Amino acid sequence: MPIIAPSLLAANFLHLSNECEMLNKSEADWFHLDVMDGRFVPNISFGPMIIEFIRKATTKTCDVHLMIEEPEKYAEEFKKAGADILTVHIEACRHLHRNIQQIKSLGMKAGVALNPHTPVDSLADILHEIDLVCLMSVNPGFGGQKFIPFTLEKIKQLRKMIDDRGLNVHIEIDGGVTLENAQSILDAGADVLVAGSTVFKATDPIGMIRDLKQLS
Ligand code: DX5
Ligand code: ZN
């Protein structure tokens, strides 16, 4: 069974409490929280203040995806806000190893996200240090974009790297995940599905989460 991580970027922020309640009632495993700074990506979303409110509204895992420059400046603040998993972009980290150690020493799980153009090979020397790889299947910054098909090849390569080394690292796919392409993503070797529009724009979000969860 996949881990389902709805992205609240597509939620109705005027009714955030209802959206959290809906996810709490659903089979969703994680809350995927997208932080954007308008520098690393051409969009601005929300920061620790909103995550602190969301943290109080759920006991589920808060999976925080930082699409920001200099993430090391904010790691502690996101820990205080309630992040369980903190994911940084490899493209935003000049000292990735140090950034990973910082996240883990603060007591969070450490994730590394890769933009579509970044090869999975770039993780070769850090894979054993991390808990999650977030493969971006769209260019980060916006919800509702179309899945980039080449991601399936990257998932297969990464799955092989992880299995060959006997590691236990999540492969999370973020962007353009739908009920139609989710099975092929899982078949390629991913185990965490992020879904923004697919969940929140569905007529029955709880039913959509159930359908995604039932895939194998
Ligand atoms: C994009 C974000 C995603 C986004 C996915 O930069 O990282 O998490 O919310 O949205 P959908 O599922 O609509 O592509
Ligand atoms: Zn994301």
Side-chain angles (χ1 to χ4, degrees):
M1 261 188 199
I3 290 171
I4 307 301
S7 163
L8 279 96
L9 192 64
N12 181 340
F13 273 68
L14 198 56
H15 301 287
L16 202 46
S17 138
N18 297 347
E19 302 281 49
C20 290
E21 263 322 294
M22 180 280 286
L23 291 183
N24 284 339
K25 271 191 251 153
S26 79
E27 291 176 52
D29 301 280
W30 298 354
F31 281 35
H32 183 85
L33 303 167
D34 290 300
V35 177
M36 303 179 183
D37 65 352
R39 290 179 63 214
F40 181 71
V41 288
N43 193 10
I44 300 175
S45 59
F46 52 81
M49 187 188 83
I50 298 286
I51 293 178
E52 212 176 313
F53 280 109
I54 294 173
R55 172 75 288 169
K56 291 187 184 127
T58 189
T59 56
K60 297 196 185 198
T61 296
C62 284
D63 168 33
V64 176
H65 177 191
L66 296 184
M67 284 160 274
I68 66 174
E69 301 280 2
E70 301 181 296
E72 66 279 2
K73 284 194 180 165
Y74 303 94
E76 199 170 338
E77 216 178 317
F78 283 104
K79 168 64 186 175
K80 281 193 196 131
D84 298 300
I85 305 170
L86 197 64
T87 296
V88 293
H89 266 264
I90 195 168
E91 303 86 1
C93 294
R94 195 170 291 164
H95 300 285
L96 183 62
H97 186 271
R98 180 184 285 151
N99 301 149
I100 298 300
Q101 301 310 319
Q102 179 198 26
I103 294 169
K104 293 201 292 190
S105 70
L106 286 166
M108 296 177 283
K109 302 245 188 239
V112 176
L114 265 53
N115 278 340
H117 74 276
T118 304
V120 292
D121 279 355
S122 55
L123 293 168
D125 295 334
I126 197 86
L127 201 52
H128 60 285
E129 297 278 357
I130 63 181
D131 301 288
L132 174 146
V133 177
C134 173
L135 290 182
M136 292 307 303
S137 36
V138 299
N139 285 293
F142 302 94
Q145 303 180 76
K146 209 172 164 310
F147 182 85
I148 299 173
F150 180 67
T151 313
L152 294 177
E153 286 310 312
K154 294 177 73 175
I155 301 172
K156 286 182 199 156
Q157 287 171 25
L158 181 59
R159 172 48 62 203
K160 187 167 174 347
M161 279 170 75
I162 293 170
D163 290 351
D164 284 352
R165 296 161 191 228
L167 299 173
N168 189 14
V169 181
H170 290 296
I171 303 181
E172 174 178 71
I173 304 306
D174 189 4
V177 174
T178 64
L179 195 52
E180 289 69 40
N181 63 20
Q183 189 61 60
S184 62
I185 293 169
L186 298 174
D187 290 344
D191 65 319
V192 185
L193 298 174
V194 173
S197 331
T198 291
V199 165
F200 287 97
K201 310 294 178 216
T203 44
D204 174 14
I206 290 187
M208 176 56 74
I209 293 168
R210 187 186 314 120
D211 290 347
L212 289 167
K213 188 75 189 169
Q214 271 163 11
L215 301 172
S216 52

